[in-house]
Each structure stands twice: as structure tokens, then as C-alpha cells.
Amino acid sequence: MDRKLSLIKSEEKVHEKRVFPRFPIGQMIFKDKKNSISFEVKDISLSGVQLELKDGEAPYQANNKVQGTLHWRGDDIELAGIVQWINGNRYGLRFEENSRELDELKNFLSLDNIVSHIRPIHENPLDIELPNNLKYWLKADGVLEIFVWELPLSGISRFQILFMENYLEWTEGEGVRTGRVLTQRNLETPLTLEDEVVFEADENVSSEKLHLGKRILGAVNPMHIHHADRDFLLYKLKI
């Protein structure tokens, strides 16, 4: 199901698209206090957040200030952001710099906290149709996703790690690539739930992103991924 849609080259940067399966239910929720509206958090980093409203539209305009509470599995923090863009039922907010809330957000988005919230989607708790050849799908709402693909006769063929705005992938015969996630949007398909991710490829493989990928894989609960497979992924992240 994962596939390369296009390659866009410029003199400075290379933008690429990938399509990934989308889990229909997110547990990270942002509630706007003033308007009593609850959004699903589709993407979040220390600089901003992308929100999705399942039904209706929010009364927002560009440069509006929005204050609310971020809920995630029993943890709550107060946040404020400025509306940067509106696209249908999705809204991009930029967090205010040097705010007290950002210090709390750094702890909220710490690697240990994020990894502790991982769900093994490949175990299919909702009995959804999973893509062919997808061996592992680990997800921490709006922050982290790990996809590992396997061919029946040759074993693991590729894997991707999306951590906030960081993108990392390995493909058999091509090696490791890293980049920065630029956009993520729903694809309207009649039979499957999919997201299109556009990332900006790094000219050279980023050692920082490789180190981050190793930290993430090393912190994943062994119950969610077989130790031999994790060792294989870690080996492939060596330069």
C-alpha cells in the first residue's frame, strides 16, 4: 500500500510523496475552551499543531488566537496558538514562542512519554483491513508512526519512521534516506483510509535523524516488535 507517488526536483530541494494507511481513531484531542470544540490532533511538534474537525467547521480565520487543552491518555496541558492556515476541516496553529506552555509541551513530547503511548495497530484491534505485506504498524497519535513492510520470500523489505517533522526510511537495494515532513493530508478513497505525506529529502543522510531513529527503536516495548526484527532495523540504520 505504501507507494511513491511523485518526485519533484528543484535546484535546492527534493520533495517526495508517500502514501500510508490511516488509522481511523485518534486519542490525542485538543479542546478549544471558548468555542467548546474538540479536534483530533493529526500532527504536532514544538512549533505547532495540525487539527482536524470531524464534523462541521470551526469559526476561525487566519491569525486568530486559539486557547485550549491538549488531552492524551490521561495527560492534560494548556496550549495557545495562532491560526496559520485553514484547509477544509483542517487547521494549522503556530505556538507562541517563549510561552510557559512550551516548557510543558517539551516534557509532554519527550521521547520516553511518546514511546510509552505506542499502540500496535498491526494487531488490528478494530478488525480493519491492513495493507498487504505490512508486518508492523506502531503508532503514537499525532507524533510517531513506524511502518515495517515484509515480502513473503525475502523478509523485511523497507521501513519508515515518522517522528513529528522528522522522516526516516530504509528500502532494500536503496539504503537509508532522511528528510523533513512538510505536509500530511487525507486521501479521499472509497475503500481504504490513507494519508499522503510530503517530505523534503535531505541532500545527505542526517546522522541526527539516524540517531533519533535508533533511540526510538531501542525504546519500543519488545512486546510490540520481535527482538530479531528490531536488531535488523537497527543494523540498517548504520552508516
Side-chain angles (χ1 to χ4, degrees):
M1 186 67 67
D2 168 61
R3 56 186 184 273
K4 189 180 296 185
L5 291 186
S6 67
L7 180 65
I8 309 167
K9 292 186 176 181
S10 68
E11 294 182 357
E12 298 181 355
K13 301 294 183 180
V14 175
H15 294 177
E16 296 193 33
K17 296 180 182 179
R18 299 289 187 271
V19 174
F20 296 105
R22 170 163 44 95
F23 192 66
I25 300 174
Q27 296 184 347
M28 185 183 290
I29 303 299
F30 178 82
K31 185 172 182 179
D32 177 343
K33 288 184 175 181
K34 179 180 178 180
N35 297 289
S36 297
I37 301 174
S38 294
F39 302 84
E40 180 181 336
V41 174
K42 302 301 294 183
D43 186 27
I44 187 170
S45 70
L46 294 176
S47 59
V49 63
Q50 181 181 152
L51 307 174
E52 181 178 71
L53 187 61
K54 294 298 184 180
D55 298 302
E57 296 181 356
Y60 297 161
Q61 295 180 353
N63 298 319
N64 283 169
K65 183 175 181 178
V66 180
Q67 293 180 300
T69 305
L70 188 66
H71 304 275
W72 196 24
R73 293 187 174 184
D75 294 330
D76 296 341
I77 61 172
E78 303 299 312
L79 288 176
I82 306 298
V83 177
Q84 296 297 293
W85 54 264
I86 301 171
N87 186 0
N89 63 341
R90 289 205 180 191
Y91 306 83
L93 274 61
R94 174 179 53 82
F95 295 136
E96 297 180 311
E97 296 181 2
N98 303 319
S99 65
R100 176 182 57 82
E101 292 86 353
L102 284 187
D103 291 332
E104 295 184 44
L105 185 63
K106 289 178 182 178
N107 294 325
F108 190 82
L109 296 181
S110 69
L111 186 61
D112 288 341
N113 189 45
I114 290 168
V115 172
S116 71
H117 285 70
I118 278 180
R119 290 181 288 166
I121 307 301
H122 57 274
E123 295 180 2
N124 211 354
L126 297 182
D127 196 30
I128 61 176
E129 183 177 354
L130 297 176
N132 294 331
N133 303 323
L134 180 59
K135 185 173 186 179
Y136 298 108
W137 179 5
L138 305 177
K139 181 178 179 64
D141 306 86
V143 188
L144 170 66
E145 284 196 89
I146 302 172
F147 299 92
V148 180
W149 308 83
E150 181 181 57
L151 295 177
L153 298 180
S154 58
I156 292 174
S157 60
R158 63 189 185 276
F159 65 88
Q160 297 98 356
I161 300 174
L162 293 87
F163 178 72
M164 291 191 281
E165 61 181 16
N166 300 287
Y167 185 86
L168 188 156
E169 69 177 6
W170 170 84
T171 305
E172 180 67 42
E174 298 181 15
V176 177
R177 303 184 67 203
T178 59
R180 180 170 65 93
V181 175
L182 299 178
T183 63
Q184 181 175 337
R185 69 182 184 92
N186 293 352
L187 290 181
E188 300 300 329
T189 54
L191 299 178
T192 59
L193 296 172
E194 295 179 331
D195 274 341
E196 178 188 88
V197 174
V198 176
F199 74 97
E200 181 180 86
D202 295 328
E203 183 176 353
N204 299 303
V205 174
S206 167
S207 59
E208 292 183 1
K209 292 186 176 75
L210 289 183
H211 179 67
L212 179 61
K214 292 176 184 177
R215 288 182 59 204
I216 291 170
L217 292 173
V220 171
N221 191 319
M223 294 178 58
H224 297 331
I225 184 170
H226 191 275
H227 66 87
D229 289 332
R230 178 162 62 179
D231 287 347
F232 177 86
L233 303 184
L234 288 169
Y235 175 77
K236 294 301 182 182
L237 293 185
K238 294 181 178 180
I239 298 180

